[in-house]
Amino acid sequence: MYKAIIVDDENRSVETLRIILQQFCSNEIEIVGTANSIDEAYTLIQTVAPHIVFLDVEMPHGSGFDLLERISKPNFEVIFTTGFDRYAVTAIKFSALDYLLKPINIEEVIEAVSKAKKRIEGKHTQNNLEHLINNLRHPRDKNNKIPISVVNGFQFVPVNTIEYCEADDDYTYIHLTDNQKLTVSKNIKEFEDILANYDFFRIHHSFLVNRDYIKKYVKGEGGTILTEHGHELPVSRRRKQEFLEWLSSY
């Protein structure tokens, strides 16, 4: 049985989530407290030492991210709750953490709790939260790391070691500067969203490239680029003009 708290400034949201958890996850977690603000949540966490925190991203007097920054070594699993805030969702995905979009869906709650339990048992929680906090403090630092799913968890790969990403239906190949190729069971659009702030550009429906490793552009109908490590990648005709404007704006 895992102890959980709910942090949300809206009482109706707290009650909705509490009811879902009590009805569908009562054999796995026990709700030991709720809080409506960052200050209340900070005190509650120190008092009850929860295993899982359901944390609203947007609150009137500070975000859920602000709360995490106040805790020096977070040792609990976080499941964020949020309306669709692209910045928040991207940051959360970037750190291999979970989130629930409002209005809360029962099946998604059950799945998120199951994932949280696995991360707790695999002792990945603290590393993931530390990555999130570091990424939030330095949002464009290419030393930040992206989570890559592996058999027993996640491998965190520095953004500055990714040369380009290649799409293959619902899979993506991550090509690294040391010639490693990682296969991930996510489509390339997810990586396009996550890496948008790190000078990556979708030059083709199949390719997402890191500006730092573009060595040369060769004109053509769409054209091609040559990377620093000798890879030749096509630029689609549809994306050519936007790509050239992006390239010249550096």
Side-chain angles (χ1 to χ4, degrees):
M1 183 72 73
Y2 294 102
K3 294 184 293 183
I5 67 170
I6 301 171
V7 182
D8 197 309
D9 64 297
E10 297 178 356
N11 287 324
R12 186 167 65 177
S13 296
V14 170
E15 199 55 32
T16 298
L17 185 53
R18 186 208 298 271
I19 291 169
I20 292 173
L21 292 169
Q22 287 176 337
Q23 289 187 356
F24 297 96
C25 303
S26 60
N27 293 329
E28 300 163 303
I29 64 175
E30 176 190 5
I31 301 166
V32 295
T34 65
N36 296 121
S37 70
I38 298 304
D39 289 339
E40 285 181 19
Y42 181 80
T43 301
L44 185 60
I45 288 168
Q46 306 305 314
T47 304
V48 304
H51 299 101
I52 301 173
V53 175
F54 291 88
L55 181 58
D56 189 16
V57 173
E58 297 289 338
M59 285 182 278
H61 303 293
S63 73
F65 298 147
D66 295 329
L67 171 64
L68 295 178
E69 292 218 57
R70 288 175 61 175
I71 299 170
S72 58
K73 288 193 175 296
N75 59 353
F76 47 82
E77 179 65 28
V78 176
I79 299 173
F80 291 95
T81 59
T82 179
F84 190 75
D85 179 319
R86 181 168 179 169
Y87 167 73
V89 169
T90 299
I92 293 163
K93 283 183 177 180
F94 200 100
S95 304
L97 294 164
D98 218 342
Y99 65 94
L100 300 168
L101 288 177
K102 296 178 180 181
I104 302 297
N105 176 281
I106 293 171
E107 287 75 18
E108 290 176 357
V109 172
I110 295 169
E111 183 180 358
V113 168
S114 175
K115 288 180 181 178
K117 285 173 54 186
K118 290 178 182 176
R119 284 196 288 268
I120 292 168
E121 291 160 5
K123 303 188 186 305
H124 298 299
T125 298
Q126 185 171 327
N127 284 341
N128 291 8
L129 286 173
E130 287 175 351
H131 280 299
L132 172 63
I133 292 166
N134 185 67
N135 293 344
L136 290 168
R137 286 174 178 162
H138 311 285
R140 296 184 65 86
D141 186 345
K142 293 190 179 182
N143 290 309
N144 289 344
K145 296 178 180 180
I146 184 172
I148 304 296
S149 299
V150 293
V151 174
N152 60 347
F154 293 93
Q155 175 182 339
F156 283 88
V157 175
V159 170
N160 61 13
T161 67
I162 301 172
E163 185 171 16
Y164 67 97
C165 302
E166 178 182 5
D168 185 5
D169 294 327
D170 290 331
Y171 290 84
T172 300
Y173 302 124
I174 310 295
H175 294 264
L176 304 182
T177 53
D178 62 0
N179 288 322
Q180 278 193 79
K181 183 172 79 170
L182 305 176
T183 303
V184 188
S185 56
K186 290 184 178 180
N187 65 51
I188 199 169
K189 181 65 170 67
E190 289 204 40
F191 291 100
E192 183 180 11
D193 290 342
I194 289 172
L195 294 169
N197 290 328
Y198 293 87
D199 289 326
F200 280 71
F201 192 91
R202 186 86 174 269
I203 60 171
H204 186 277
H205 72 271
S206 295
F207 295 102
L208 175 69
V209 66
N210 186 340
R211 184 200 295 267
D212 289 347
Y213 298 109
I214 297 175
K215 182 178 181 180
K216 184 179 182 181
Y217 170 72
V218 180
K219 293 180 180 179
E221 187 174 5
T224 58
I225 65 165
L226 185 67
T227 73
E228 291 286 351
H229 296 86
H231 299 283
E232 191 172 322
L233 309 177
V235 178
S236 73
R237 182 174 59 180
R238 183 171 62 87
R239 299 174 192 266
K240 176 180 177 179
Q241 187 58 40
E242 186 182 356
F243 168 66
L244 292 176
E245 290 172 1
W246 172 80
L247 201 59
S248 62
S249 67
Y250 192 62

mmCIF file of all heavy atoms in Angstrom, residues 222-247:
data_model
loop_
_atom_site.group_PDB
_atom_site.id
_atom_site.type_symbol
_atom_site.label_atom_id
_atom_site.label_comp_id
_atom_site.label_asym_id
_atom_site.label_seq_id
_atom_site.Cartn_x
_atom_site.Cartn_y
_atom_site.Cartn_z
ATOM 1 N N GLY A 222 14.052 19.990 -53.113
ATOM 2 C CA GLY A 222 13.934 20.238 -51.680
ATOM 3 C C GLY A 222 15.322 20.505 -51.126
ATOM 4 O O GLY A 222 15.529 21.317 -50.249
ATOM 5 N N GLY A 223 16.263 19.796 -51.699
ATOM 6 C CA GLY A 223 17.641 19.910 -51.269
ATOM 7 C C GLY A 223 18.014 18.800 -50.298
ATOM 8 O O GLY A 223 17.175 17.977 -49.908
ATOM 9 N N THR A 224 19.255 18.751 -49.910
ATOM 10 C CA THR A 224 19.731 17.778 -48.934
ATOM 11 C C THR A 224 20.683 18.484 -47.976
ATOM 12 O O THR A 224 21.254 19.532 -48.308
ATOM 13 C CB THR A 224 20.471 16.605 -49.599
ATOM 14 O OG1 THR A 224 21.580 17.122 -50.350
ATOM 15 C CG2 THR A 224 19.564 15.804 -50.512
ATOM 16 N N ILE A 225 20.849 17.886 -46.809
ATOM 17 C CA ILE A 225 21.866 18.384 -45.903
ATOM 18 C C ILE A 225 22.892 17.282 -45.668
ATOM 19 O O ILE A 225 22.579 16.090 -45.737
ATOM 20 C CB ILE A 225 21.281 18.865 -44.555
ATOM 21 C CG1 ILE A 225 20.660 17.698 -43.790
ATOM 22 C CG2 ILE A 225 20.315 19.995 -44.736
ATOM 23 C CD1 ILE A 225 20.406 18.013 -42.335
ATOM 24 N N LEU A 226 24.108 17.712 -45.420
ATOM 25 C CA LEU A 226 25.175 16.794 -45.042
ATOM 26 C C LEU A 226 25.511 17.084 -43.591
ATOM 27 O O LEU A 226 25.745 18.234 -43.214
ATOM 28 C CB LEU A 226 26.405 17.023 -45.928
ATOM 29 C CG LEU A 226 27.578 16.060 -45.729
ATOM 30 C CD1 LEU A 226 27.184 14.646 -46.181
ATOM 31 C CD2 LEU A 226 28.797 16.541 -46.513
ATOM 32 N N THR A 227 25.507 16.037 -42.767
ATOM 33 C CA THR A 227 25.794 16.241 -41.345
ATOM 34 C C THR A 227 27.295 16.151 -41.083
ATOM 35 O O THR A 227 28.063 15.687 -41.927
ATOM 36 C CB THR A 227 25.079 15.193 -40.471
ATOM 37 O OG1 THR A 227 25.723 13.922 -40.613
ATOM 38 C CG2 THR A 227 23.606 15.079 -40.847
ATOM 39 N N GLU A 228 27.690 16.585 -39.900
ATOM 40 C CA GLU A 228 29.103 16.567 -39.510
ATOM 41 C C GLU A 228 29.692 15.159 -39.546
ATOM 42 O O GLU A 228 30.897 14.994 -39.722
ATOM 43 C CB GLU A 228 29.258 17.144 -38.104
ATOM 44 C CG GLU A 228 28.992 18.631 -37.995
ATOM 45 C CD GLU A 228 30.129 19.457 -38.574
ATOM 46 O OE1 GLU A 228 31.191 18.887 -38.910
ATOM 47 O OE2 GLU A 228 29.954 20.691 -38.693
ATOM 48 N N HIS A 229 28.840 14.151 -39.397
ATOM 49 C CA HIS A 229 29.337 12.779 -39.363
ATOM 50 C C HIS A 229 29.052 12.037 -40.667
ATOM 51 O O HIS A 229 29.043 10.806 -40.702
ATOM 52 C CB HIS A 229 28.738 12.042 -38.163
ATOM 53 C CG HIS A 229 29.167 12.622 -36.847
ATOM 54 N ND1 HIS A 229 28.512 13.681 -36.261
ATOM 55 C CD2 HIS A 229 30.208 12.323 -36.032
ATOM 56 C CE1 HIS A 229 29.120 13.991 -35.132
ATOM 57 N NE2 HIS A 229 30.151 13.192 -34.969
ATOM 58 N N GLY A 230 28.809 12.807 -41.743
ATOM 59 C CA GLY A 230 28.765 12.218 -43.083
ATOM 60 C C GLY A 230 27.436 11.658 -43.524
ATOM 61 O O GLY A 230 27.370 10.965 -44.541
ATOM 62 N N HIS A 231 26.350 11.960 -42.811
ATOM 63 C CA HIS A 231 25.032 11.463 -43.223
ATOM 64 C C HIS A 231 24.376 12.469 -44.158
ATOM 65 O O HIS A 231 24.414 13.674 -43.919
ATOM 66 C CB HIS A 231 24.147 11.229 -42.002
ATOM 67 C CG HIS A 231 24.701 10.221 -41.049
ATOM 68 N ND1 HIS A 231 24.643 8.868 -41.266
ATOM 69 C CD2 HIS A 231 25.354 10.378 -39.863
ATOM 70 C CE1 HIS A 231 25.226 8.227 -40.260
ATOM 71 N NE2 HIS A 231 25.666 9.116 -39.404
ATOM 72 N N GLU A 232 23.770 11.968 -45.224
ATOM 73 C CA GLU A 232 23.083 12.813 -46.200
ATOM 74 C C GLU A 232 21.585 12.634 -46.006
ATOM 75 O O GLU A 232 21.057 11.520 -46.151
ATOM 76 C CB GLU A 232 23.498 12.421 -47.613
ATOM 77 C CG GLU A 232 23.046 13.407 -48.673
ATOM 78 C CD GLU A 232 23.646 13.081 -50.044
ATOM 79 O OE1 GLU A 232 24.828 12.676 -50.093
ATOM 80 O OE2 GLU A 232 22.914 13.224 -51.037
ATOM 81 N N LEU A 233 20.879 13.724 -45.680
ATOM 82 C CA LEU A 233 19.460 13.655 -45.356
ATOM 83 C C LEU A 233 18.667 14.576 -46.278
ATOM 84 O O LEU A 233 19.082 15.701 -46.539
ATOM 85 C CB LEU A 233 19.223 14.074 -43.896
ATOM 86 C CG LEU A 233 20.075 13.374 -42.823
ATOM 87 C CD1 LEU A 233 19.761 13.971 -41.456
ATOM 88 C CD2 LEU A 233 19.814 11.880 -42.823
ATOM 89 N N PRO A 234 17.510 14.108 -46.769
ATOM 90 C CA PRO A 234 16.712 14.936 -47.680
ATOM 91 C C PRO A 234 15.912 16.005 -46.949
ATOM 92 O O PRO A 234 15.470 15.818 -45.819
ATOM 93 C CB PRO A 234 15.767 13.902 -48.317
ATOM 94 C CG PRO A 234 15.575 12.874 -47.232
ATOM 95 C CD PRO A 234 16.915 12.779 -46.531
ATOM 96 N N VAL A 235 15.741 17.140 -47.610
ATOM 97 C CA VAL A 235 14.845 18.189 -47.143
ATOM 98 C C VAL A 235 13.617 18.153 -48.053
ATOM 99 O O VAL A 235 13.753 18.177 -49.279
ATOM 100 C CB VAL A 235 15.510 19.583 -47.227
ATOM 101 C CG1 VAL A 235 14.537 20.676 -46.781
ATOM 102 C CG2 VAL A 235 16.786 19.618 -46.393
ATOM 103 N N SER A 236 12.439 18.053 -47.465
ATOM 104 C CA SER A 236 11.241 17.973 -48.304
ATOM 105 C C SER A 236 10.987 19.318 -48.975
ATOM 106 O O SER A 236 11.292 20.379 -48.412
ATOM 107 C CB SER A 236 10.024 17.548 -47.477
ATOM 108 O OG SER A 236 9.592 18.598 -46.648
ATOM 109 N N ARG A 237 10.393 19.274 -50.162
ATOM 110 C CA ARG A 237 10.098 20.503 -50.902
ATOM 111 C C ARG A 237 9.154 21.399 -50.098
ATOM 112 O O ARG A 237 9.307 22.618 -50.061
ATOM 113 C CB ARG A 237 9.446 20.144 -52.244
ATOM 114 C CG ARG A 237 9.139 21.346 -53.118
ATOM 115 C CD ARG A 237 8.627 20.911 -54.466
ATOM 116 N NE ARG A 237 7.406 20.104 -54.334
ATOM 117 C CZ ARG A 237 6.747 19.585 -55.360
ATOM 118 N NH1 ARG A 237 7.218 19.739 -56.585
ATOM 119 N NH2 ARG A 237 5.661 18.887 -55.172
ATOM 120 N N ARG A 238 8.214 20.774 -49.385
ATOM 121 C CA ARG A 238 7.234 21.533 -48.610
ATOM 122 C C ARG A 238 7.878 22.280 -47.445
ATOM 123 O O ARG A 238 7.419 23.358 -47.055
ATOM 124 C CB ARG A 238 6.151 20.569 -48.091
ATOM 125 C CG ARG A 238 5.029 21.229 -47.335
ATOM 126 C CD ARG A 238 3.904 20.240 -47.065
ATOM 127 N NE ARG A 238 4.347 19.132 -46.249
ATOM 128 C CZ ARG A 238 4.348 19.150 -44.919
ATOM 129 N NH1 ARG A 238 3.976 20.251 -44.284
ATOM 130 N NH2 ARG A 238 4.733 18.099 -44.227
ATOM 131 N N ARG A 239 8.950 21.715 -46.879
ATOM 132 C CA ARG A 239 9.570 22.329 -45.694
ATOM 133 C C ARG A 239 10.791 23.190 -46.045
ATOM 134 O O ARG A 239 11.380 23.810 -45.167
ATOM 135 C CB ARG A 239 9.987 21.237 -44.711
ATOM 136 C CG ARG A 239 8.830 20.406 -44.199
ATOM 137 C CD ARG A 239 9.320 19.239 -43.339
ATOM 138 N NE ARG A 239 8.263 18.308 -43.078
ATOM 139 C CZ ARG A 239 7.485 18.323 -41.996
ATOM 140 N NH1 ARG A 239 7.687 19.238 -41.075
ATOM 141 N NH2 ARG A 239 6.539 17.432 -41.831
ATOM 142 N N LYS A 240 11.148 23.223 -47.317
ATOM 143 C CA LYS A 240 12.400 23.861 -47.721
ATOM 144 C C LYS A 240 12.484 25.332 -47.303
ATOM 145 O O LYS A 240 13.480 25.749 -46.680
ATOM 146 C CB LYS A 240 12.572 23.745 -49.244
ATOM 147 C CG LYS A 240 13.801 24.451 -49.784
ATOM 148 C CD LYS A 240 13.899 24.299 -51.304
ATOM 149 C CE LYS A 240 15.078 25.049 -51.865
ATOM 150 N NZ LYS A 240 15.177 24.885 -53.351
ATOM 151 N N GLN A 241 11.478 26.138 -47.643
ATOM 152 C CA GLN A 241 11.559 27.569 -47.370
ATOM 153 C C GLN A 241 11.642 27.847 -45.874
ATOM 154 O O GLN A 241 12.472 28.652 -45.419
ATOM 155 C CB GLN A 241 10.351 28.292 -47.980
ATOM 156 C CG GLN A 241 10.426 29.808 -47.894
ATOM 157 C CD GLN A 241 11.685 30.379 -48.577
ATOM 158 O OE1 GLN A 241 12.105 29.922 -49.636
ATOM 159 N NE2 GLN A 241 12.298 31.375 -47.938
ATOM 160 N N GLU A 242 10.803 27.164 -45.106
ATOM 161 C CA GLU A 242 10.822 27.368 -43.654
ATOM 162 C C GLU A 242 12.162 26.926 -43.066
ATOM 163 O O GLU A 242 12.711 27.572 -42.170
ATOM 164 C CB GLU A 242 9.682 26.577 -43.006
ATOM 165 C CG GLU A 242 9.537 26.843 -41.516
ATOM 166 C CD GLU A 242 8.426 26.022 -40.887
ATOM 167 O OE1 GLU A 242 7.714 25.295 -41.612
ATOM 168 O OE2 GLU A 242 8.287 26.092 -39.641
ATOM 169 N N PHE A 243 12.705 25.823 -43.594
ATOM 170 C CA PHE A 243 13.988 25.329 -43.119
ATOM 171 C C PHE A 243 15.107 26.341 -43.390
ATOM 172 O O PHE A 243 15.922 26.637 -42.520
ATOM 173 C CB PHE A 243 14.318 23.999 -43.796
ATOM 174 C CG PHE A 243 15.741 23.549 -43.599
ATOM 175 C CD1 PHE A 243 16.211 23.189 -42.338
ATOM 176 C CD2 PHE A 243 16.621 23.498 -44.679
ATOM 177 C CE1 PHE A 243 17.528 22.784 -42.150
ATOM 178 C CE2 PHE A 243 17.934 23.096 -44.505
ATOM 179 C CZ PHE A 243 18.385 22.742 -43.238
ATOM 180 N N LEU A 244 15.131 26.913 -44.611
ATOM 181 C CA LEU A 244 16.173 27.871 -44.960
ATOM 182 C C LEU A 244 16.078 29.146 -44.104
ATOM 183 O O LEU A 244 17.099 29.712 -43.709
ATOM 184 C CB LEU A 244 16.106 28.210 -46.451
ATOM 185 C CG LEU A 244 16.482 27.065 -47.399
ATOM 186 C CD1 LEU A 244 16.284 27.484 -48.853
ATOM 187 C CD2 LEU A 244 17.896 26.587 -47.169
ATOM 188 N N GLU A 245 14.847 29.569 -43.820
ATOM 189 C CA GLU A 245 14.662 30.737 -42.955
ATOM 190 C C GLU A 245 15.156 30.422 -41.539
ATOM 191 O O GLU A 245 15.805 31.258 -40.892
ATOM 192 C CB GLU A 245 13.186 31.143 -42.930
ATOM 193 C CG GLU A 245 12.708 31.741 -44.252
ATOM 194 C CD GLU A 245 11.214 31.967 -44.280
ATOM 195 O OE1 GLU A 245 10.537 31.684 -43.257
ATOM 196 O OE2 GLU A 245 10.700 32.417 -45.330
ATOM 197 N N TRP A 246 14.824 29.222 -41.057
ATOM 198 C CA TRP A 246 15.281 28.794 -39.718
ATOM 199 C C TRP A 246 16.796 28.724 -39.673
ATOM 200 O O TRP A 246 17.441 29.190 -38.729
ATOM 201 C CB TRP A 246 14.657 27.448 -39.411
ATOM 202 C CG TRP A 246 15.169 26.760 -38.164
ATOM 203 C CD1 TRP A 246 14.793 27.022 -36.876
ATOM 204 C CD2 TRP A 246 16.119 25.699 -38.104
ATOM 205 N NE1 TRP A 246 15.469 26.184 -36.006
ATOM 206 C CE2 TRP A 246 16.297 25.365 -36.733
ATOM 207 C CE3 TRP A 246 16.854 24.994 -39.061
ATOM 208 C CZ2 TRP A 246 17.148 24.355 -36.310
ATOM 209 C CZ3 TRP A 246 17.722 23.997 -38.634
ATOM 210 C CH2 TRP A 246 17.862 23.686 -37.278
ATOM 211 N N LEU A 247 17.394 28.194 -40.744
ATOM 212 C CA LEU A 247 18.850 28.013 -40.791
ATOM 213 C C LEU A 247 19.551 29.372 -40.784
ATOM 214 O O LEU A 247 20.588 29.544 -40.129
ATOM 215 C CB LEU A 247 19.211 27.234 -42.056
ATOM 216 C CG LEU A 247 20.562 26.514 -42.091
ATOM 217 C CD1 LEU A 247 20.655 25.505 -40.962
ATOM 218 C CD2 LEU A 247 20.747 25.817 -43.442
#
